[in-house]
Amino acid sequence: MKIELQTFQRQYLKGLAHTLNPVVMIGNNGLTESVMREIAINLDAHELIKIRVLGDDRDARVALFEKICDDLGAAPVQHIGKQLVLWRPSDKQRIELPKSKKALKAQP
């Protein structure tokens, strides 16, 4: 189950992610079971995370991004260079998404 975000919600999350550092790195071994577990743990803990992918193959990064989002029920926020940004709400819900573009502009 993939989460669909509105454009303004994606923009809001990109802004929040700007200052984040990657919490998981996907190395030469690719998307192993332990890497997926680490991503899931970090999504539960932080909701919004950055992942760094080693390797120069852009198509492979896109495929990884889609697989992670599909398998973990996360929303793809941004793929920029070798960084992937994902969001998935947790039970404690730390990040409140704006409901409309007007709500986005009203936030500080």
Side-chain angles (χ1 to χ4, degrees):
M1 181 201 86
K2 197 183 335 184
I3 301 169
E4 294 297 326
L5 295 172
Q6 301 290 327
T7 304
F8 63 89
Q9 292 172 324
R10 187 170 277 113
Q11 288 174 326
Y12 175 72
L13 291 171
K14 283 181 189 179
L16 293 178
H18 184 70
T19 58
L20 296 179
N21 291 319
V23 292
V24 178
M25 288 182 78
I26 300 174
N28 297 333
N29 293 335
L31 203 54
T32 62
E33 196 176 307
S34 60
V35 170
M36 283 294 272
R37 193 169 34 251
E38 248 344 273
I39 293 169
I41 289 167
N42 279 286
L43 279 170
D44 287 341
H46 305 291
E47 289 186 339
L48 183 68
I49 65 167
K50 264 187 193 173
I51 300 170
R52 181 159 176 80
V53 182
L54 301 179
D56 295 326
D57 187 351
R58 187 184 195 313
D59 293 334
R61 288 194 302 271
V62 169
L64 282 174
F65 199 22
E66 290 172 357
K67 178 162 176 42
I68 293 167
C69 290
D70 288 343
D71 290 359
L72 297 179
V77 176
Q78 187 175 32
H79 170 206
I80 184 161
K82 296 182 179 185
Q83 307 250 349
L84 310 176
V85 181
L86 299 109
W87 175 77
R88 183 178 74 184
S90 70
D91 298 337
K92 298 183 181 87
Q93 195 163 8
R94 293 166 178 75
I95 298 172
E96 188 71 36
L97 287 181
K99 303 278 187 253
S100 68
K101 288 183 185 180
K102 290 178 185 168
L104 181 64
K105 291 176 183 166
Q107 292 182 351

